[in-house]
Amino acid sequence: MPNKHFCQGPDCHTRTTQDRFLKSRGVVRGRYAITPLDHDNAYYKRGKFFCSTSCEGEWLNQHMENIEQGRPIEFIRHRRESQGYEKVSDETPWGYRHTIQRVDNRTELD
């Protein structure tokens, strides 16, 4: 297991970026936090729990009321995933453009 926490951001596992996409399983996964657990600098303490400042801000927006009321907040201990994505290549005049798109696997019966 790596020496980092998983990102605590509420929507980290739903953003379709190249580094979050796992092609073999067709899933988008959450990232690891920026800073390793054994890093002792006080400036980077928040980096032990989030992969970016946007994830940090989203988490704070979602949990601010719980923090103000002193209620416990669940800590994410597993890597979250979003299913049903595929990498699509489109040819352009300048080469190929790769995008990650949601796949609708539902079949409609008539």
Side-chain angles (χ1 to χ4, degrees):
M1 185 167 158
N3 191 21
K4 293 183 177 184
H5 287 302
F6 297 113
C7 179
Q8 302 296 305
D11 297 322
C12 186
H13 66 289
T14 61
R15 294 195 184 109
T16 54
T17 59
Q18 296 290 333
D19 65 327
R20 289 180 172 109
F21 181 64
L22 183 61
K23 185 177 180 180
S24 63
R25 294 182 32 218
V27 298
V28 175
R29 304 183 298 180
R31 290 179 177 162
Y32 287 106
I34 296 172
T35 310
L37 296 174
D38 56 358
H39 200 292
D40 289 333
N41 190 333
Y43 181 76
Y44 295 104
K45 281 192 177 189
R46 294 183 301 192
K48 292 182 182 182
F49 305 103
F50 303 101
C51 69
S52 66
T53 54
S54 63
C55 280
E56 179 183 342
E58 289 173 4
W59 182 89
L60 193 57
N61 288 338
Q62 184 174 346
H63 297 291
M64 182 54 86
E65 187 175 332
N66 290 335
I67 293 169
E68 290 172 346
Q69 301 297 323
R71 294 182 284 222
I73 300 168
E74 180 183 354
F75 186 79
I76 298 167
R77 300 189 187 281
H78 63 281
R79 187 174 232 178
R80 295 176 295 172
E81 298 179 345
S82 295
Q83 303 287 332
Y85 288 89
E86 71 177 355
K87 192 171 194 175
V88 178
S89 299
D90 297 322
E91 189 171 358
T92 65
W94 305 278
Y96 284 95
R97 189 185 92 186
H98 303 287
T99 58
I100 300 169
Q101 298 178 349
R102 190 112 166 105
V103 179
D104 188 7
N105 290 332
R106 295 177 290 174
T107 57
E108 296 185 25
L109 301 172
D110 292 328

